[in-house]
């Protein structure tokens, strides 16, 4: 990934966000085993976990001449 607006004269930070693929909730797996999912059509059956990194800080170079 490249940031077309990046300015190397300004301090900035970046971080990474990650989205997991949709996976069945444990309750969905339980209802499938019990064969009763059709009784709960409004049930939320999927979950998508998320994570993010610590920030990565960028400081412009300084000339201390």
């Amino acid at each position: 990934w490249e940031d077309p607006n990046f300015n190397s004269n300004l301090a900035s930070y970046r971080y990474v966000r990650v989205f997991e693929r949709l996976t069945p909730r444990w309750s969905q797996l339980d209802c499938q085993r019990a064969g009763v999912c059709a009784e709960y059509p409004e049930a939320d059956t999927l979950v998508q976990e998320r994570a993010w990194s610590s920030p990565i800080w960028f400081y412009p170079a300084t000339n201390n001449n």
Side-chain angles (χ1 to χ4, degrees):
W1 178 79
E2 291 185 23
D3 182 358
N5 299 316
F6 178 72
N7 183 340
S8 62
N9 297 314
L10 300 175
S12 62
Y13 68 93
R14 299 287 187 269
Y15 63 94
V16 177
R17 290 189 298 174
V18 179
F19 295 88
E20 181 183 58
R21 288 185 191 150
L22 287 172
T23 56
R25 291 185 176 274
W26 63 268
S27 54
Q28 171 69 11
L29 300 174
D30 283 349
C31 96
Q32 286 174 343
R33 275 187 231 116
V36 294
C37 293
E39 297 174 28
Y40 305 97
E42 73 286 348
D44 189 10
T45 59
L46 299 173
V47 64
Q48 183 179 41
E49 299 293 345
R50 300 168 187 205
W52 53 92
S53 72
S54 296
I56 301 165
W57 296 93
F58 172 82
Y59 296 100
T62 58
N63 291 332
N64 295 327
N65 295 339

